[in-house]
Amino acid sequence: MIELTEPQVWVLMGIFATAIFGMLGWQTASFNRNLTIVRDSLRESIESQGKITNIRLETLERKLDDLDRDVQAISRHVFGTDLH
């Protein structure tokens, strides 16, 4: 059986501790990088959905304006008066 002296034990403990802290640092940096990527892609997705929603609302508003114009025209034609 191999016997380790006290200085050798401390060196091995130091190497092990350094390896553990190094892996923790690498894991933290990797997690932060991935979290940033996901956050940015989610932000882009939300912004694009907002743009699509705005386009659809503008289209709906135009259709309602056209419908209002048509109803007013029908009202003038049938009743001879304007609704407003």
Side-chain angles (χ1 to χ4, degrees), residues 36-47:
T36 301
I37 291 169
V38 169
R39 183 194 67 211
D40 292 344
S41 66
L42 184 61
R43 181 178 292 143
E44 290 173 5
S45 175
I46 290 171
E47 287 174 357

Side-chain angles (χ1 to χ4, degrees), residues 60-71:
L60 181 61
E61 186 176 336
R62 273 195 305 266
K63 287 181 179 181
L64 287 174
D65 288 343
D66 292 345
L67 180 63
D68 183 48
R69 183 193 65 228
D70 293 343
V71 168

Side-chain angles (χ1 to χ4, degrees), residues 18-36:
T18 302
I20 292 294
F21 284 119
M23 286 190 299
L24 284 172
W26 175 80
Q27 190 71 16
T28 301
S30 176
F31 179 73
N32 284 338
R33 189 171 35 251
N34 288 334
L35 193 62
T36 301

